[in-house]
Amino acid sequence: SLGINLRLIADILFVKGLVNKLDTLADTLPAETDPARLQLSLLLDKLALHLYTFNGPLLPLTIFRPVHWTVKYGFNDLSGASLAATGVVLCGVLWDLQAGAKFGKCALELIKKLPRYSEVKTLFVCHAAVNHWTQPIHDQLKPLIRAYELGLRMGDTENACWAIQCFCLARFLTSFSLDLLLSDMLMYQAQYKSMQRHQTFRMGSAYTQFVANLVGKGSLENCTALHGDILSARDAEKWAQEDSFYRIAAHVCQLYLYTIFGEYEACAELALERGWDAYSREVIGALMSYAEVLSNGLSSIAAARKSGKMKYLRTAKLVHRRVKSWIGKGNPNVSQIDALLEAEFAALKNRKVAAIQKYEVAILVSARSGLQLEAGLCSERMAEFLWDQGDREDAKFRFERALKYYREVGAFAKVAMLEKKYANDIWPKPSEIVTLATDNT
């Protein structure tokens, strides 16, 4: 164990020392000529995939070794994938976002020189787990589609399927029409099944059912239940026992459903049970890490406000600290989450002016970025705060804005839930309006 830790420390120092040389590395490296070393690289590549799947502690060692070989002996077909994987570790484990971005850039430059075996994997890994930490998520859409199409042409169906699944998640995070997204996801689910990409299919089942619930094509009686026509309760239970990747995908979907449908305490309890960063620890560098921090941060503060249980605040503070860290390191995708969490903390302390200002910032940033789902959520949280403060007219305006955003993105189940919840208080029936008018006269 001590030897492994020392080797890991040495590798991290080597990788950190390499960062400033990456700008010219792709241009100066010769081509690798030793076939034996290429075979060893192939074995390490397969081992790294296995360790990633099962969250093995030796994963960094299997990733860093081919990087050593690339620097010392020259590049081969797998060098781009190794550099991209190093970027994942830097971004998703060490949280050195700028260094990870440099490794991702070098990996993409390198596959231009020898685009063969690992081109699809390099494209997929860079744009699904590295570049979004320092670039807008929207900018990863076209490269992920390219990885998918190239993978199908080259016969690399494994990485092609992962790429298109991440493309769908990126579209969800950028508030693409949920109804259209659901149709596409169902089509890709059929492809995963026909190509026998079983793990991608199982994870995709959780993600697709999750989107179906938002659209209103899940259980209308229980919108937070992650099973229905797409994912049966029997399969959900079975896969949760057999497949760790399915289990953690279902976990982040459950967190988000609890949050979007207002079951904040259930989300906060799940975060305490599984860990506030369980998803980002197990699926390193993944796009849905944004959904995790939004869900756990918001729900923990909202649960503390509603129940008075201060045990949830530790989770909220840890999440907020991480979001602040990401912003400080150049992540452009979490400013609205930061503003929303600051608004929630201000609301918790009953600082009305500060809370309203931060809610307005969160709504503005979300809306200007085209993130209607998050703009709706921020508007709803502001409306509920104003309602609790007794500002009924302002609250009604914010509720109506929230409904507008939710309708635009296609979250019709959420629209129905809000309209039902506040039907009598905010939108009285015609007969009630007549009664109120008579009383006033």
Side-chain angles (χ1 to χ4, degrees), residues 152-164:
L152 293 184
R153 289 202 303 270
M154 295 177 64
D156 187 356
T157 59
E158 179 181 21
N159 287 301
C161 289
W162 286 125
I164 201 62

Side-chain angles (χ1 to χ4, degrees), residues 394-414:
D394 287 342
K396 180 180 178 181
F397 170 75
R398 290 299 176 182
F399 274 125
E400 289 173 345
R401 296 295 294 177
L403 289 175
K404 173 181 176 292
Y405 289 126
Y406 287 139
R407 286 194 186 98
E408 285 177 351
V409 76
F412 301 118
K414 178 63 180 182

Side-chain angles (χ1 to χ4, degrees), residues 131-142:
N131 287 3
H132 68 82
W133 292 107
T134 54
Q135 300 173 12
I137 296 174
H138 188 273
D139 290 354
Q140 315 314 315
L141 293 173
K142 287 184 178 179

